[in-house]
Amino acid sequence: SQQGEEDPQALSIQEGENATMNCSYKTSINNLQWYRQNSGRGLVHLILIRSNEREKHSGRLRVTLDTSKKSSSLLITASRAADTASYFCATDYPDSWGKLQFGAGTQVVVTP
Amino acid sequence: GAGVSQSPSNKVTEKGKDVELRCDPISGHTALYWYRQSLGQGLEFLIYFQGNSAPDKSGLPSDRFSAERTGGSVSTLTIQRTQQEDSAVYLCASSLLGNTIYFGEGSWLTVV
């Protein structure tokens, strides 16, 4: 079964609004990574957060990690039409580095 | 190049034919991964190479699938006797051990 599961499955917002999506996982992890995918092609890496970190920022992106709840959230602030994409979380866990477990993704649509 | 490079971008093949997909990882990256994404699905781990260690082949779906990594750099994923269910985007990624995993644009395989 998939380790990471995103919520919601789909999100539709207007430009300027914030978008929040969540990722839950089942077992202890080493790292959690968020990726963006446009039109079903390559994955663009957004942020890596390690299990001993709680929050990271990159531009308009903010990622939090709560290991006690086995969950992470990705916040996109002041969204733009170009943020329209699918967003995936991916986890790796002890003794299985390299075997990322991906969720099914959250499809985000930002309308002008 | 600056990123992970994959070829071909698109491949249409007849059922029963063999195909080879190529991946050039980021220079200096010791780890290389292959994933598969079927239409509307999440990513599925296939195989992982790390340095000179034996590859982790646990994700290969059948013995029709194989992969090599020559000289610790370029990798080739080979699918023999292709079937229609092999149609998917095949994504290659690379990283330094324990760090961010960067993906290529993928090779879209269609088996007709």
Side-chain angles (χ1 to χ4, degrees):
Chain A
S1 63
Q2 290 176 336
Q3 171 78 315
E5 295 186 2
E6 289 90 346
D7 169 59
Q9 291 185 336
L11 184 59
S12 184
I13 57 174
Q14 292 191 320
E15 272 191 328
E17 293 181 337
N18 296 342
T20 300
M21 60 210 85
N22 303 296
C23 170
S24 60
Y25 55 92
K26 297 185 175 72
T27 59
S28 295
I29 61 171
N30 282 334
N31 309 285
L32 186 145
Q33 304 186 60
W34 284 93
Y35 290 88
R36 184 184 75 226
Q37 185 178 44
N38 295 85
S39 303
R41 294 309 294 255
L43 292 169
V44 174
H45 183 265
L46 299 177
I47 290 182
L48 179 152
I49 188 164
R50 301 193 186 278
S51 60
N52 61 352
E53 297 176 314
R54 293 296 168 259
E55 186 170 316
K56 290 188 84 168
H57 297 255
S58 177
R60 294 183 295 112
L61 305 179
R62 173 177 168 253
V63 167
T64 62
L65 179 65
D66 187 334
T67 53
S68 67
K69 295 181 180 179
K70 293 187 172 58
S71 68
S72 174
S73 68
L74 170 65
L75 168 67
I76 306 172
T77 60
S79 62
R80 306 167 182 169
D83 295 328
T84 295
S86 293
Y87 292 81
F88 295 88
C89 69
T91 53
D92 69 86
Y93 45 102
D95 301 324
S96 295
W97 169 256
K99 296 172 70 171
L100 292 179
Q101 297 284 334
F102 282 84
T106 293
Q107 188 171 357
V108 175
V109 175
V110 182
T111 54
Chain B
V4 178
S5 178
Q6 293 186 244
S7 62
S9 296
N10 292 281
K11 175 74 175 178
V12 179
T13 189
E14 291 182 351
K15 178 181 172 181
K17 294 284 181 71
D18 297 351
V19 296
E20 286 189 349
L21 307 175
R22 177 188 168 99
C23 173
D24 280 285
I26 293 172
S27 178
H29 280 188
T30 55
L32 185 147
Y33 322 78
W34 284 98
Y35 286 79
R36 176 172 73 173
Q37 186 179 29
S38 302
L39 187 63
Q41 301 295 312
L43 277 80
E44 172 189 14
F45 167 80
L46 297 178
I47 187 169
Y48 160 53
F49 297 88
Q50 169 55 39
N52 296 322
S53 302
D56 181 340
K57 304 180 181 180
S58 60
L60 295 178
S62 77
D63 58 9
R64 296 186 295 104
F65 288 72
S66 63
E68 291 184 342
R69 188 178 186 193
T70 55
S73 181
V74 171
S75 176
T76 302
L77 176 69
T78 301
I79 309 172
Q80 296 178 310
R81 305 182 302 281
T82 52
Q83 303 294 313
Q84 288 185 328
E85 61 263 28
D86 299 334
S87 295
V89 178
Y90 289 83
L91 290 152
C92 178
S94 72
S95 78
L96 294 170
L97 184 64
N99 282 286
T100 299
I101 297 175
Y102 295 95
F103 283 81
E105 287 294 308
S107 292
W108 188 284
L109 175 66
T110 303
V111 182
V112 297

